[in-house]
Amino acid sequence: MRNRLKVLRAERNWSQADLAEKLDVSRQSVNAIETGKYDPSLPLAFKIAAVFGVSIEQIFSADDVAQAAE
Amino acid sequence: MSRKRLNSGPDLRTMTMTKIVSSSRQQRKTFSIIGMAGCFGLFMVLMQLALSYPVLAWVSLAPALASVVFACLWISALDEVARQTHYRAWSWGGSIGLMVSLFTFLWLALQPGLFDRAIGALGVAEPAMVGLGAGLMLAFVPASLGYFIWWAVAWLRRG
């Protein structure tokens, strides 16, 4: 799974700690999601989308879908 | 309008709410860890006292059960990434530990008279109880060690 978490975060000038606080998770958890070490559950993915004010598809994409688009 | 506000920066109302939730999660974690430690301490004290007053061995079941409740509270207070790390550590580390136990049991079974010789060398009064205890420890300790090692490596590798 690929994600645009880092880009979206940078656009808003938020640190990992800022995002972690908004999502009610630890900073390490944000880092794990951002680096692709962990794929979030659907409820957390919805929460992330709500925090950024975008749809889930605008943040996450499957590896094969992303490769096909490129 | 609401999307614009979300994109423009943090919503103060959401921020306050999140802070409350965060601190509540942290409080629940701290509370459950203190609870587990307290129960474990009480259990150990009661087990020591049970050597003189055997009925206390039954009483020690209360803190043992309470510690399970605190453990459930603790796991529910973790965020999902931390929780999954613990689940994975128990699944992989614990399973590898159980494999170690299994091979050790098999190896011991293929050494006729080893247990009797060990008991004889130790000179224990109740060999059956010692054997039962050693068997339980052999099943439990490698699985717990496997879980702990797996979790510790994951914890050290977190960013």
Side-chain angles (χ1 to χ4, degrees), chain A:
Chain A
M1 186 91 85
R2 291 185 183 185
N3 70 73
R4 296 180 57 241
L5 224 57
K6 197 172 183 176
V7 176
L8 291 166
R9 197 167 54 73
E11 282 173 4
R12 286 153 183 80
N13 204 21
W14 292 347
S15 67
Q16 285 186 342
D18 293 334
L19 181 57
E21 195 175 301
K22 291 174 207 301
L23 295 172
D24 189 27
V25 297
S26 67
R27 189 199 59 76
Q28 287 80 14
S29 296
V30 169
N31 186 57
I33 296 166
E34 207 170 276
T35 53
K37 286 180 191 163
Y38 178 80
D39 292 331
S41 67
L42 207 48
L44 183 55
F46 270 112
K47 205 170 176 181
I48 293 168
V51 164
F52 284 118
V54 296
S55 65
I56 289 178
E57 293 89 341
Q58 286 174 282
I59 306 175
F60 298 100
S61 59
D63 279 332
D64 49 352
V65 173
Q67 277 166 4
E70 286 167 7

Side-chain angles (χ1 to χ4, degrees), chain A residues 12 14 18 20-33 37-44 47 49-55 58, chain B residues 3 6-11 14-26 28-29 78-82 84-85 88 155 157-159:
Chain A
R12 286 153 183 80
W14 292 347
D18 293 334
E21 195 175 301
K22 291 174 207 301
L23 295 172
D24 189 27
V25 297
S26 67
R27 189 199 59 76
Q28 287 80 14
S29 296
V30 169
N31 186 57
I33 296 166
K37 286 180 191 163
Y38 178 80
D39 292 331
S41 67
L42 207 48
L44 183 55
K47 205 170 176 181
V51 164
F52 284 118
V54 296
S55 65
Q58 286 174 282
Chain B
R3 172 166 286 195
L6 261 172
N7 285 334
S8 64
D11 183 327
T14 316
M15 283 278 287
T16 314
M17 200 54 206
T18 311
K19 269 184 182 163
I20 292 166
V21 173
S22 283
S23 89
S24 155
R25 186 191 285 279
Q26 192 55 46
R28 280 188 294 143
K29 266 165 71 175
L78 295 174
D79 69 48
E80 71 169 63
V81 181
Q84 283 299 324
T85 307
R88 212 168 292 145
W155 190 83
R157 288 181 65 193
R158 70 194 184 139

Side-chain angles (χ1 to χ4, degrees), chain B:
Chain B
M1 179 65 188
S2 72
R3 172 166 286 195
K4 196 174 180 182
R5 194 178 57 203
L6 261 172
N7 285 334
S8 64
D11 183 327
L12 281 179
R13 284 179 304 174
T14 316
M15 283 278 287
T16 314
M17 200 54 206
T18 311
K19 269 184 182 163
I20 292 166
V21 173
S22 283
S23 89
S24 155
R25 186 191 285 279
Q26 192 55 46
Q27 278 173 359
R28 280 188 294 143
K29 266 165 71 175
T30 310
F31 172 72
S32 52
I33 287 170
I34 291 170
M36 277 192 287
C39 285
F40 181 73
L42 188 57
F43 174 77
M44 294 304 283
V45 168
L46 286 169
M47 286 304 278
Q48 279 299 313
L49 291 173
L51 295 173
S52 309
Y53 309 98
V55 71
L56 288 178
W58 292 102
V59 179
S60 70
L61 284 176
L65 288 173
S67 71
V68 174
V69 175
F70 280 116
C72 292
L73 279 175
W74 170 73
I75 204 88
S76 70
L78 295 174
D79 69 48
E80 71 169 63
V81 181
R83 201 179 306 144
Q84 283 299 324
T85 307
H86 283 285
Y87 290 165
R88 212 168 292 145
W90 189 243
S91 175
W92 287 99
S95 298
I96 291 167
L98 282 176
M99 291 298 286
V100 171
S101 296
L102 182 68
F103 281 112
T104 311
F105 273 123
L106 283 173
W107 179 77
L108 286 172
L110 295 172
Q111 311 290 319
L114 179 72
F115 179 71
D116 291 334
R117 285 201 301 278
I119 290 292
L122 290 169
V124 289
E126 293 183 71
M129 284 304 287
V130 171
L132 183 66
L136 283 171
M137 292 298 276
L138 187 55
F140 182 72
V141 171
S144 302
L145 266 178
Y147 157 75
F148 179 74
I149 291 167
W150 196 283
W151 174 82
V153 170
W155 190 83
L156 288 170
R157 288 181 65 193
R158 70 194 184 139

